[in-house]
Amino acid sequence: MQIGRWNHQGSNSSGANKQRGRRNSDDLRPEDFAQYAIPARGGRSGGRRGFGERRGAFNRPRRATRGGFRAFGETEHEIQKFINRAPTQVEEEAPYEPKHRFGDFPFLPKLKENIEKKGYDLPTPIQDQTIPEILAGRDVVGLAETGSGKTAAFLLPLIQKVMLLPGERVLIMAPTRELAVQIEQELASFAKGLGFRGMVAVGGANIMPQIKQLKWDPTFVIGTPGRLKDLMERKALDLSNFGTVVLDEADRMLDMGFIDDMRFILGKMRAERHTLFFSATMGKDIEALIGDFLKEPVTISVKKRETSANVDQDVIRIGGADKFEKLTELLQDRDFTRTLVFVRTKHGAERLAKMLSRERIFADSIHGDKSHNARLRALEAFKRGKVQVLVATDVAARGLDIPEVSHVINYDLPGTYEDYVHRIGRTGRASAKGKALTFVD
Ligand code: ADP
Ligand code: MG
């Protein structure tokens, strides 16, 4: 069935073996790492097998378990193992066939009308699978990439809920002001003519109008954790009527340092509530949060593949002082138009950017010791092409919206498979081709 942009990309099998004969490099593919992941230890999330978690090549252990992933590439022996394991064949992945059309969900007629007016016909995979669970009142952990339609996945069943339970109030937490505004706009379009309202409560805006709006008792409050907490402390926001909470982009909220505020807010809500949790990634902090604040959640993962077929992955065997020489040599190549170089430490990032500059390569760095403004400046210069190379640490790169890049170079090995996926996901976006090179000692 053709469902437009929601099709799964077919796995790209071409190129899987083309470099098998090379001694110093080989393709680095997700399945090569799979053996380094710690197997799942009993699902505390009680979830089901998510879409896309196929048996076989791309099937990795459930992410919703404590423990995370073991660092890979610790010994020469292990590295040897993973680069020699280029697969002989990669299956084609079938396009997703939704089980429902929007018309099949038991939405009230007025809501159905609004959905139709928006032009939604087929649900995206995350919508297809989470909407029935949310309608059934279950706690849900939804794992899906940006752009997969998470907003409607939680908004639609929650709109239905407040229509059926008029006293119900919904709190939605999002990491940024822009996201909160986007969610509110989506809500407004779905809730047109239904007789309730939502409001946005974010920092960086005057708090007084928000306090005023809260007095009108909005049905949906959509905000960033910091401002929500502020409003609670001023007694402008009373969560005792809120029986439903959504944490949207929970991973980004953690990256942005909202963990304490999130815990504060959730801690003030009543224990018997409906909690929905959305994230693009699953890490230890996230698991802890889920364990503490969700009740027997259903986990739905529609992360179809860990790494994009558009990213050509390769390993370069090089170590010590030779790494720098190799890097500068690579950067002479005209194809390296916008290269993101990952290193392990803040100090290393600073130093490498300076060393590159000394070689007359336009480079800057982003890392945790730089101020937010300095990081934004470096990023802006990178976006505009004033800087060819941006040297980054994992954490600094995560908090920011990095533009499409031609190459990702793992100058230092990533600590975990998850970091590897994050790093190389910075290239090969949309339909662009990208290349990821990993320096292996
Ligand atoms: P996410 O939150 O996962 O990043 P969004 O909810 O922002 O994704 O959705 C991305 C875009 O796709 C939005 O413009 C949204 O209106 C659109 N969209 C979502 N679901 C559908 C659907 N079922 N049919 C058509 N367009 C959709
Ligand atoms: Mg979203």
Side-chain angles (χ1 to χ4, degrees):
M1 189 187 297
Q2 271 300 101
I3 49 169
R5 61 179 286 208
W6 307 114
N7 277 0
H8 280 247
Q9 278 177 296
S11 299
N12 178 8
S13 58
S14 70
N17 300 308
K18 64 173 189 256
Q19 286 155 348
R20 293 194 100 198
R22 266 157 74 175
R23 216 182 291 144
N24 289 335
S25 68
D26 209 330
D27 276 6
L28 191 59
R29 306 184 63 86
E31 50 275 50
D32 301 326
F33 290 99
Q35 60 183 314
Y36 297 101
I38 292 171
R41 261 183 274 144
R44 47 187 286 121
S45 53
R48 57 182 50 179
R49 187 189 190 81
F51 172 80
E53 293 180 50
R54 297 180 311 131
R55 254 172 277 270
F58 289 100
N59 184 24
R60 297 204 304 110
R62 295 186 53 73
R63 305 191 114 203
T65 51
R66 284 186 193 280
F69 303 98
R70 178 153 47 115
F72 65 81
E74 274 156 5
T75 66
E76 171 72 16
H77 180 65
E78 287 199 351
I79 294 157
Q80 198 70 51
K81 261 200 313 201
F82 78 65
I83 62 165
N84 285 337
R85 273 174 50 94
T88 48
Q89 65 167 68
V90 180
E91 291 166 52
E92 278 291 312
E93 211 163 343
Y96 183 72
E97 286 194 26
K99 292 180 207 70
H100 315 86
R101 288 178 164 261
F102 275 109
D104 302 337
F105 291 121
F107 291 134
L108 295 167
K110 277 187 170 176
L111 177 55
K112 257 189 188 158
E113 246 172 65
N114 286 350
I115 296 169
E116 268 170 37
K117 274 189 213 145
K118 277 274 277 193
Y120 284 19
D121 175 22
L122 288 169
T124 67
I126 189 84
Q127 291 164 356
D128 193 38
Q129 294 178 68
T130 53
I131 287 173
E133 304 291 352
I134 300 171
L135 283 173
R138 293 193 186 97
D139 280 7
V140 169
V141 173
L143 301 173
E145 280 100 17
T146 317
S148 54
K150 280 167 291 195
T151 321
F154 61 79
L155 281 183
L156 295 175
L158 293 183
I159 291 170
Q160 170 96 340
K161 185 174 179 179
V162 302
M163 287 169 79
L164 296 172
L165 299 168
E168 179 70 8
R169 297 290 173 264
V170 179
L171 180 71
I172 300 173
M173 281 190 243
T176 65
R177 180 200 174 94
E178 292 72 27
L179 263 163
V181 169
Q182 243 168 272
I183 294 168
E184 204 279 328
Q185 287 168 345
E186 195 92 333
L187 173 67
S189 71
F190 284 126
K192 211 173 267 171
L194 301 184
F196 62 85
R197 69 176 109 217
M199 71 157 289
V200 173
V202 294
N206 190 344
I207 200 166
M208 297 317 291
Q210 294 175 7
I211 291 174
K212 207 167 172 187
Q213 283 186 59
L214 281 168
K215 291 204 176 114
W216 299 336
D217 189 22
T219 303
F220 284 76
V221 173
I222 305 157
T224 46
R227 177 54 61 94
L228 290 169
K229 181 178 178 222
D230 197 353
L231 287 162
M232 287 166 72
E233 285 170 344
R234 290 171 187 243
K235 310 266 181 246
L237 175 60
D238 171 13
L239 290 182
S240 56
N241 282 333
F242 286 68
T244 306
V245 62
V246 181
L247 292 102
D248 193 21
E249 305 220 15
D251 48 351
R252 272 186 79 194
M253 288 198 278
L254 293 188
D255 284 343
M256 293 172 73
F258 283 136
I259 180 70
D260 292 341
D261 296 343
M262 289 159 78
R263 286 185 171 274
F264 173 88
I265 295 162
L266 288 169
K268 294 275 189 239
M269 292 186 77
R270 50 179 203 241
E272 67 305 345
R273 56 152 194 267
H274 191 185
T275 309
L276 308 176
F277 196 101
F278 289 87
S279 178
T281 57
M282 178 61 84
K284 271 194 197 149
D285 297 350
I286 304 244
E287 284 167 30
L289 210 58
I290 291 170
D292 289 349
F293 291 105
L294 276 74
K295 273 202 201 119
E296 298 171 19
V298 176
T299 300
I300 292 163
S301 169
V302 300
K303 293 172 70 70
K304 41 198 178 276
R305 53 165 70 264
E306 298 300 335
T307 58
S308 165
N310 291 329
V311 182
D312 183 9
Q313 302 166 52
D314 220 334
V315 166
I316 295 178
R317 312 219 76 188
I318 196 138
D322 295 339
K323 287 206 300 192
F324 183 69
E325 203 175 311
K326 183 72 196 174
L327 179 64
T328 51
E329 182 194 314
L330 286 169
L331 292 171
Q332 306 301 325
D333 191 320
R334 268 198 269 143
D335 288 345
F336 287 66
T337 51
R338 203 174 278 177
T339 303
L340 191 56
V341 177
F342 280 100
V343 295
R344 205 187 292 277
T345 65
K346 302 169 195 176
H347 176 68
E350 188 74 31
R351 202 172 55 135
L352 186 58
K354 286 205 173 112
M355 283 164 70
L356 288 169
S357 299
R358 255 180 253 134
E359 299 293 316
R360 295 162 185 270
I361 291 166
F362 291 104
D364 206 339
S365 62
I366 47 169
H367 54 76
D369 282 348
K370 277 196 167 179
S371 72
H372 187 61
N373 278 343
R375 280 192 267 170
L376 285 182
R377 268 201 304 278
L379 188 66
E380 197 53 34
F382 189 54
K383 277 184 187 171
R384 295 230 196 106
K386 288 186 176 162
V387 161
Q388 180 198 358
V389 182
L390 192 62
V391 186
T393 57
D394 293 287
V395 176
R398 274 197 195 193
L400 294 169
D401 182 24
I402 308 269
E404 289 169 26
V405 298
S406 65
H407 292 75
V408 167
I409 297 178
N410 294 313
Y411 191 78
D412 293 334
L413 275 178
T416 61
Y417 174 80
E418 225 183 4
D419 286 337
Y420 177 77
V421 171
H422 261 278
R423 286 177 174 193
I424 74 165
R426 303 301 184 174
T427 183
R429 295 208 166 181
S431 58
K433 287 271 167 205
K435 185 148 182 138
L437 297 170
T438 302
F439 284 6
V440 174
D441 207 333

